């Protein structure tokens, strides 16, 4: 299979249309058999539920070329489970887990020529999503839905190397205690856009959201979970019912415990404790781990000992180990890699 003529080393983190995508429609109470199509356009009614009341959920994942030349995806079963929970929360029909995984496999396989080669620094980003399609004018769930999967080759999230971020403690709230912060719904990201644009305008890379109820505990950013390292080398991540259960974060906790022999725990983290950590990072699909060098809380600065030039030592080990697993350099736990035959 001949790869597409793409300058893999200069890809940005943006959309490049590939040849095929997967589509399945939900009508009259059931999903159709689904199919691959070359048509990248979505045609829906002007009154479609997704356009009126934001009834849409999505996932983000990647396919990689391993060192031995295989194409793999990383833990797609967890993406399927998370999308199931997201759909249930928005009163949308669940796309079955086995079909979700197969749709991802089929779409990646059909676009294998777009999977960047090993060592290029690029990957194939995969976006499964579901949305309400039939006209809905009263506030209620749609009756018809579409599930789709598209792919796009992307370059490394950080062009020119990883540099620690400067983030601010924001006065905006990301999610209510009993709201939708724990699911991957488009509406959560829409409401975070003003906050991130405002942060960028003020010279910051990201926002740190605190819990909306008490504004005393660390939650997450607009699109990633936090990960901290204590001065003793223990890995700690925030626990909250209103943050997204990141697959990358859960994988990093496992890597810390079972590959690096570190203590690791998920617990509530009072903001007052942040100044005492040795390292801080943001974790998610796009960058795996983004190091944080400084947090600005209005007129106070928290500067981590690792500084503004490179990743901290524990964060770097976590990053190298997880990416090593994803790229096939390090043996993966059973079931973590789905091979695209």
């Amino acid at each position: 299979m001949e790869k597409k003529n793409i300058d893999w080393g200069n890809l940005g983190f943006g959309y490049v249309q590939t040849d095929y995508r997967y589509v399945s429609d939900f009508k009259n109470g059931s999903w159709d058999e689904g199919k691959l199509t070359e048509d990248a356009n979505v045609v829906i009614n002007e009154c479609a539920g997704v356009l009126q009341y934001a009834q849409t959920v999505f996932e983000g994942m990647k396919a990689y070329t391993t060192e031995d030349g295989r194409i793999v995806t990383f833990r797609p079963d967890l993406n399927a489970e998370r999308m199931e929970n997201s759909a249930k929360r928005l009163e949308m029909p669940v796309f079955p887990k086995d079909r979700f995984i197969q749709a991802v496999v089929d779409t990646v396989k059909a676009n294998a020529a777009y999977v960047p080669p090993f060592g290029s620094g690029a990957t194939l980003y995969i976006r499964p999503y579901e949305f309400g399609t039939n006209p809905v004018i009263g506030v209620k769930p749609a009756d018809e839905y579409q599930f789709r999967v598209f792919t796009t080759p992307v370059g490394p999230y950080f062009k020119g190397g990883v540099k620690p971020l400067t983030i601010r403690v924001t006065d905006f709230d990301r999610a209510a205690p009993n709201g939708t912060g724990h699911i991957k719904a488009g509406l959560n990201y829409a409401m975070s856009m003003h906050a991130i644009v405002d942060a960028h305008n003020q010279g910051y890379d990201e926002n740190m959201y605190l819990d909306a109820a008490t504004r005393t505990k660390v939650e997450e950013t607009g699109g990633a979970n936090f990960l901290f390292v204590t001065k003793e080398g223990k890995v700690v991540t925030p626990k909250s019912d209103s943050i997204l259960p990141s697959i990358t974060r859960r994988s990093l906790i496992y890597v810390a415990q079972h590959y690096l022999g570190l203590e690791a725990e998920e617990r509530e983290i009072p903001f007052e404790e942040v100044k005492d950590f040795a390292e801080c990072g943001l974790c998610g699909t796009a960058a795996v781990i983004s190091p944080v060098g400084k947090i600005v809380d209005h007129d106070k600065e928290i500067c981590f000992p690792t500084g503004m030039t490179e990743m901290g030592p524990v964060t770097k080990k976590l990053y190298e180990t997880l990416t090593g697993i994803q790229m096939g350099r390090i043996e993966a736990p059973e079931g973590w890699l789905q091979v695209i035959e």
Side-chain angles (χ1 to χ4, degrees), residues 235-290:
V235 178
V236 185
T237 64
K239 183 177 183 178
S240 168
D241 291 334
S242 55
I243 65 175
L244 193 71
S246 164
I247 294 162
T248 303
R249 185 198 74 217
R250 284 179 275 174
S251 301
L252 287 166
I253 290 289
Y254 184 94
V255 163
Q257 294 170 327
H258 299 278
Y259 280 72
L260 302 179
L262 300 172
E263 281 191 76
E265 69 173 340
E266 182 185 0
R267 62 171 172 81
E268 290 188 347
I269 300 178
F271 177 70
E272 278 299 308
E273 191 179 340
V274 170
K275 66 182 184 303
D276 300 322
F277 289 119
E279 299 176 39
C280 174
L282 309 180
C283 54
T285 299
V288 182
I289 303 179
S290 311

Side-chain angles (χ1 to χ4, degrees), residues 130-337:
E130 181 188 334
F131 52 95
T133 55
N134 68 290
V136 179
I137 198 66
V139 181
K140 63 178 182 178
D143 299 312
E144 298 176 0
Y145 297 84
Q146 190 166 97
F147 170 82
R148 297 177 71 99
V149 183
F150 72 80
T151 58
T152 180
V154 294
Y157 197 72
F158 294 108
K159 297 290 279 185
V162 177
K163 293 182 174 60
L165 308 176
T166 298
I167 64 178
R168 69 168 183 184
V169 178
T170 182
D171 293 324
F172 295 105
D173 291 326
R174 178 187 161 272
N178 295 306
T180 58
H182 63 295
I183 66 169
K184 204 164 177 67
L187 55 92
N188 292 339
Y189 294 80
M191 61 70 56
S192 73
M193 288 183 185
H194 175 67
I196 190 61
V197 169
D198 185 66
H200 289 165
N201 288 341
Q202 300 297 323
Y204 301 102
D205 296 301
E206 255 293 3
N207 291 297
M208 171 183 276
Y209 290 98
L210 303 179
D211 72 293
T214 70
R215 300 196 60 76
T216 62
K217 291 173 283 192
V218 176
E219 292 249 300
E220 62 170 274
T221 68
N225 283 184
F226 278 100
L227 181 146
F228 299 98
V229 181
T230 69
K231 290 181 172 66
E232 296 74 36
K234 184 177 185 178
V235 178
V236 185
T237 64
K239 183 177 183 178
S240 168
D241 291 334
S242 55
I243 65 175
L244 193 71
S246 164
I247 294 162
T248 303
R249 185 198 74 217
R250 284 179 275 174
S251 301
L252 287 166
I253 290 289
Y254 184 94
V255 163
Q257 294 170 327
H258 299 278
Y259 280 72
L260 302 179
L262 300 172
E263 281 191 76
E265 69 173 340
E266 182 185 0
R267 62 171 172 81
E268 290 188 347
I269 300 178
F271 177 70
E272 278 299 308
E273 191 179 340
V274 170
K275 66 182 184 303
D276 300 322
F277 289 119
E279 299 176 39
C280 174
L282 309 180
C283 54
T285 299
V288 182
I289 303 179
S290 311
V292 174
K294 184 193 299 183
I295 296 175
V296 180
D297 177 21
H298 299 87
D299 58 345
K300 293 177 288 186
E301 289 189 353
I302 298 171
C303 298
F304 293 99
T306 45
M308 296 299 295
T309 57
E310 59 186 6
M311 276 189 177
V314 175
T315 304
K316 187 174 183 180
K317 284 181 185 176
L318 287 167
Y319 174 84
E320 290 177 345
T321 305
L322 186 57
T323 55
I325 289 169
Q326 291 171 334
M327 294 295 181
R329 293 191 299 268
I330 298 172
E331 186 174 354
E334 186 175 352
W336 276 28
L337 297 184

Side-chain angles (χ1 to χ4, degrees), residues 20 36 62-64 71-73 102-115 124-126 149 151 340:
Y20 295 95
L36 290 171
K62 287 181 176 180
Y64 313 83
I71 295 176
V72 302
T73 59
Q102 192 60 52
V104 167
V105 169
D106 290 348
T107 309
V108 173
K109 188 174 181 179
N111 293 299
Y114 289 93
V115 181
L124 187 74
Y125 189 84
I126 308 164
V149 183
T151 58
I340 311 296

Side-chain angles (χ1 to χ4, degrees), residues 6 77 330:
I6 294 173
D77 56 318
I330 298 172

